[in-house]
Amino acid sequence: MSEPLFNRIAIIGLGLIGGSFAAAARENGLARSIVAGSRSARTLEQGIALGVVDDGSQDLAEAVKGADLVFVSTPVSAMGKVLAALKPGLSRTAIVTDGGSVKGNVISAARQALGEHYSRFVPGHPIAGKEKSGVSAADATLYRDHRVILTPTDDTDPAATAKVRAIWTAMGAEVLQMSPQYHDQVLAETSHLPHLLAFSLVDTLARQGDSNEIFRYAAGGFRDFTRIASSDPVMWHDIFRENKAALLQALGLFSDGIDRFRDAVEKGDSDALMGIMTRANSARAHFMAMNGRTSYTRAQLGEDSIMTDSSKANPTYLMTPGGKLNGRIRVPGDKSMSHRSIMLGSLADGVTEVEGFLEGEDALATLQAFRDMGVVIEGPTNGQVTIHGVGLNGLKAPEKPLYMGNSGTSMRLLTGLLAGQAFDVELTGDASLSKRPMERVAKPLREMGAQITTGNEGRPPVRIRGGQPLKAIHYDLPMASAQVKSAVLLGGLYAEGETSVTEPAPTRDHTERMLGGFGYAVRRDGATSVVSGGGKLTACKLEVPADISSAAFFLVGASIAEGSDVTLPHVGINPTRTGVIDILKLMGADIRLENQRDAGGEPVADIVVKSAPLKGIVIPEALVPLAIDEFPAIFIAAACAEGDTILHGAEELRVKESDRIQVMADGLAALGVDHEVFDDGIRITGGAFGGGEVQSHGDHRIAMSFAMAALRANGPITIHDCANVATSFPGFAQLAGHAGLNLEVK
């Protein structure tokens, strides 16, 4: 049995919070003894009788004697007196921490009361509770999977902070750290203000003469919103007083918002009303996602929706070997086109209606960015989105940095589009996106006159200075990249003269096609695309086809699993995207395109694929740019093919969501697949392979590719870090399981 973190813990204030701290410390073996200090003899007797604490004292200085950790859980208004009372009993090395919900005044009180012991004080705030109160409600699991915020000051001993963090972590809490000032601001806006509003609303209605009738007919929304007005008035009285400055600031922001709402209602401004409500709707979904540690997509589906791969914080895929794929499988809408539909629809004059929009994390990041810049967007609802365009020059400055999540497409294309705006803007992303190169986009845009700075080593954040006149340029792409090409062309919409881009090899041309669909002239001459600045985008109706990148996993899975027969309807077969089909056919795959047709300027078809023996090939370099996103899946096909498959000319794979060459190689090695890594590619020798544990490094395509490998593996495969599958393929696990893949989400 491991040694406990502390020899003796003293709990001051044995209510729900303090009692649960004691119960959790006992259950997890975190202290040899636990004592309490309370002015109430009855509370102490009850705590001892329940086994929550071993002993207690009404003398607070006596209670903390010999304790190496003191947890103070008393009202914030009493914190100064309590700390002064216990101070004489503190040992020289004792750590003191608290559970108060306001930190500024608590820290001031601690500084004054503790004197030379102040450096051992670690301010904290557990975000947990329940409707019952008192020591009888003590719950050893109260803090499990809940957040605890620590707010150490510059004077706080880092070793003391580390010990406090350790005990909260051992209780199962997620420990965050922030400045005291930021803590009080955030809590004022997200907790204290809502309670104030609930108290105010109920009090306002209760003071009306007919309040009984009003309450009798109150609907569920009233009950839900005002439930928190049943909270302890004494506690909230103290909180409102102690956090006065931050609460008044939050109340001022809310008043400004109410004024905007009132103005929109008075004027009958439909767009303003819809803008407020759609932004609020999507923001709440995002808040729910963060609070529940789920994906944005899961929050959009609703709290009672079916559990899928995106409903867990960071799911693991457990794959049982064998199986086959059969049936008609409709994969999500094309991600590249979904991004561009939001961008161009927002800049168009009029209302654009989109069908088949991909409701995945990446495309939703683009959608949210334009909402943050004042565009009214309805939906998405079952793939339907309505965009109230503001014109090329109608975007408004966002009030905060635009968060792109994991989407490199969003960040790179928006950099081009925002280079010509009148306002400053900053683009940020998650940990994965923050490692990806952005100078390849910034460089040509600077040549056009844009003022753009990037972070360390040319990575995010990207900061764009507004109000810069842009001039047209001709740009020869140093490497084939649809994102860089698109960024320059979008910047060219705001530039004086003709902007042209020449690419060394064909890349996806969704931007050029969709600009034409919105009535903006694009001239194409061989490998060169040209736009003139100063034009106009006109709203239209768009139908987004199914994404061939998502279809690729099922193309490979059905090809390698004997007895498979799959139809993938309405898949985009843009010739700049069909490299995966061409490569698999060269390997011997049985793939047919049926019912070929046009949908909104993009060619689509139903793809039928049946299992077939595959053979290794040397992949033609001309096909590499046309299959750049699909290579993780192609690597799995190669592992199942007879002989060697050799890839060169794919350096771009090194700077995707992960280094896809190395990460795939590591995963193949874990399964026992013979391979050799090159700077620009890989050699894979196909044959039998086993199971193993694969680290996807948060790369959605890595995770889905190795899921398909289980169809031919000789043992189970465990795939870690699969949360980002929701960025491009929400519901993948459920759909793949229905088709015949033996996949369990943990």
Side-chain angles (χ1 to χ4, degrees):
M1 186 175 179
S2 60
E3 284 290 307
L5 284 172
F6 296 94
N7 183 55
R8 185 179 179 91
I9 293 176
I11 310 294
I12 307 300
L14 203 57
L16 170 66
I17 298 300
S20 296
F21 189 94
R26 183 178 298 286
E27 182 173 287
N28 291 285
L30 304 178
R32 289 192 172 88
S33 67
I34 304 171
V35 300
S38 174
R39 299 298 191 192
S40 169
R42 186 179 178 201
T43 297
L44 292 174
E45 291 170 1
Q46 195 174 11
I48 295 169
L50 292 170
V52 174
V53 294
D54 300 310
D55 201 356
S57 175
Q58 290 177 269
D59 183 332
L60 301 189
E62 185 67 27
V64 303
K65 282 186 177 178
D68 39 5
L69 177 69
V70 178
F71 178 62
V72 183
S73 177
T74 61
V76 291
S77 59
M79 197 70 71
K81 291 182 179 179
V82 169
L83 292 172
L86 63 82
K87 163 69 163 56
L90 291 174
S91 68
R92 183 179 60 83
T93 59
I95 297 170
V96 182
T97 188
D98 79 304
S101 61
V102 178
K103 302 323 311 173
N105 286 3
V106 167
I107 288 170
S108 297
R111 183 181 285 110
Q112 183 174 349
L114 296 179
E116 74 282 357
H117 207 93
Y118 174 66
S119 65
R120 303 289 287 172
F121 176 64
V122 182
H125 178 201
I127 312 293
K130 56 184 182 180
E131 292 184 2
K132 294 182 179 180
S133 61
V135 67
S136 61
D139 181 357
T141 66
L142 183 66
Y143 304 114
R144 193 173 299 162
D145 296 325
H146 281 76
R147 293 183 175 90
V148 173
I149 302 174
L150 300 183
T151 63
T153 69
D154 292 341
D155 298 317
T156 306
D157 182 350
T161 301
K163 289 281 282 185
V164 173
R165 175 183 289 273
I167 193 168
W168 282 119
T169 301
M171 291 178 180
E174 177 190 3
V175 183
L176 309 177
Q177 190 165 315
M178 62 180 65
S179 72
Q181 297 80 9
Y182 187 57
H183 168 277
D184 287 356
Q185 174 194 334
V186 168
L187 268 292
E189 293 171 354
T190 61
S191 175
H192 305 167
L193 178 62
H195 278 81
L196 182 148
L197 297 177
F199 282 120
S200 176
L201 176 59
V202 177
D203 178 59
T204 299
L205 296 180
R207 286 187 285 108
Q208 294 190 36
D210 59 349
S211 61
N212 287 337
E213 289 298 307
I214 291 174
F215 293 141
R216 178 177 299 166
Y217 298 116
F222 177 83
R223 292 193 299 272
D224 291 344
F225 176 68
T226 59
R227 177 185 57 80
I228 55 178
S230 63
S231 302
D232 182 0
V234 175
M235 178 184 75
W236 283 100
H237 162 272
D238 290 348
I239 289 173
F240 293 158
R241 293 185 64 190
E242 295 294 324
N243 203 25
K244 174 181 174 180
L247 180 60
L248 287 175
Q249 182 180 359
L251 194 55
L253 291 172
F254 177 76
S255 296
D256 292 343
I258 285 292
D259 288 342
R260 287 193 295 271
F261 224 129
R262 180 196 298 273
D263 188 58
V265 172
E266 284 182 350
K267 294 178 179 177
D269 190 336
S270 178
D271 283 351
L273 273 175
M274 188 61 73
I276 293 169
M277 291 186 290
T278 52
R279 286 193 300 274
N281 183 276
S282 63
R284 185 183 185 278
H286 191 49
F287 296 156
M288 290 298 297
M290 291 188 294
N291 193 50
R293 300 168 183 81
T294 66
S295 73
Y296 187 98
T297 308
R298 161 71 172 168
Q300 289 281 54
L301 292 173
E303 296 164 35
D304 299 320
S305 60
I306 297 171
M307 294 285 283
T308 69
D309 50 303
S310 65
S311 66
K312 300 176 183 291
N314 197 358
T316 295
Y317 289 172
L318 304 180
M319 310 299 307
T320 303
K324 58 184 178 181
L325 301 180
N326 283 287
R328 191 175 178 88
I329 304 171
R330 180 66 182 258
V331 300
D334 187 284
K335 185 166 69 164
S336 296
M337 292 182 64
S338 294
H339 283 301
R340 289 160 173 82
S341 71
I342 297 296
M343 294 179 186
L344 300 186
S346 295
L347 299 176
D349 292 321
V351 178
T352 293
E353 295 179 0
V354 181
E355 295 275 353
F357 177 82
L358 170 65
E359 297 181 45
E361 304 283 338
D362 282 9
L364 289 171
T366 294
L367 188 151
Q368 186 60 41
F370 282 89
R371 277 189 173 136
D372 289 343
M373 290 186 286
V375 180
V376 176
I377 303 174
E378 300 175 50
T381 305
N382 296 323
Q384 295 181 322
V385 180
T386 301
I387 309 163
H388 298 258
V390 297
L392 275 172
N393 298 298
L395 296 179
K396 298 177 182 177
E399 296 181 0
K400 58 186 179 182
L402 298 177
Y403 179 69
M404 301 292 99
N406 189 241
S407 178
T409 301
S410 301
M411 183 169 285
R412 292 190 177 118
L413 269 61
L414 272 173
T415 299
L417 190 151
L418 295 175
Q421 302 299 324
F423 49 81
D424 297 351
V425 66
E426 179 179 346
L427 306 177
T428 66
D430 68 8
S432 173
L433 181 56
S434 297
K435 297 175 182 177
R436 297 172 68 183
M438 293 297 149
E439 276 296 311
R440 58 178 59 183
V441 169
K443 180 179 179 294
L445 292 170
R446 289 194 195 104
E447 292 180 20
M448 298 173 72
Q451 289 194 19
I452 301 172
T453 59
T454 56
N456 292 336
E457 299 180 352
R459 295 170 178 169
V462 176
R463 298 180 178 91
I464 304 165
R465 175 66 62 86
Q468 309 304 310
L470 302 185
K471 62 180 185 299
I473 62 167
H474 172 75
Y475 189 65
D476 290 309
L477 288 175
M479 66 172 64
S481 170
Q483 292 179 359
V484 178
K485 175 181 67 172
S486 295
V488 175
L489 292 176
L490 290 174
L493 303 183
Y494 295 91
E496 182 181 351
E498 285 192 344
T499 297
S500 57
V501 182
T502 299
E503 51 190 351
T507 64
R508 58 190 64 177
D509 61 355
H510 299 305
T511 299
E512 297 96 307
R513 287 175 180 262
M514 198 174 289
L515 280 169
F518 279 91
Y520 204 106
V522 180
R523 190 172 78 251
R524 287 191 266 191
D525 182 10
T528 301
S529 298
V530 184
V531 298
S532 296
K536 174 183 175 182
L537 294 163
T538 303
C540 62
K541 289 188 177 182
L542 285 174
E543 184 179 5
V544 177
D547 194 336
I548 194 168
S549 293
S550 296
F553 304 108
F554 293 95
L555 295 178
V556 168
S559 294
I560 65 176
E562 187 175 350
S564 295
D565 186 345
V566 164
T567 298
L568 300 157
H570 199 71
V571 178
I573 53 167
N574 184 304
T576 64
R577 298 284 301 281
T578 54
V580 62
I581 294 176
D582 298 333
I583 291 169
L584 289 175
K585 281 187 171 182
L586 288 174
M587 297 176 73
D590 182 355
I591 298 174
R592 300 193 318 275
L593 303 183
E594 298 183 348
N595 193 20
Q596 296 190 46
R597 57 206 182 274
D598 182 87
E602 290 278 347
V604 300
D606 300 336
I607 304 178
V608 179
V609 55
K610 297 180 180 181
S611 58
L614 302 181
K615 63 181 184 296
I617 62 169
V618 176
I619 296 174
E621 290 198 27
L623 292 178
V624 171
L626 309 184
I628 197 67
D629 284 335
E630 292 75 51
F631 273 112
I634 293 169
F635 286 7
I636 299 303
C640 300
E642 180 185 352
D644 287 352
T645 297
I646 299 172
L647 170 68
H648 282 293
E651 302 94 332
E652 179 73 5
L653 288 175
R654 297 278 189 186
V655 291
K656 290 289 186 178
E657 282 83 340
S658 66
D659 178 344
R660 284 182 173 160
I661 292 175
Q662 190 59 56
V663 173
M664 283 298 299
D666 292 342
L668 292 171
L671 303 186
V673 177
D674 184 40
H675 64 280
E676 179 184 2
V677 174
F678 312 127
D679 288 342
D680 65 342
I682 194 169
R683 173 192 57 79
I684 299 171
T685 301
F689 55 86
E693 296 207 11
V694 173
Q695 301 293 335
S696 76
H697 294 273
D699 190 323
H700 51 122
R701 300 198 190 280
I702 302 292
M704 290 184 279
S705 297
F706 278 107
M708 292 299 167
L711 291 163
R712 282 281 295 272
N714 293 326
I717 299 175
T718 300
I719 308 168
H720 298 285
D721 201 9
C722 299
N724 278 334
V725 168
T727 64
S728 65
F729 203 144
F732 166 77
Q734 188 179 36
L735 185 63
H738 182 72
L741 197 65
N742 299 321
L743 188 161
E744 182 183 359
V745 181
K746 287 290 188 181

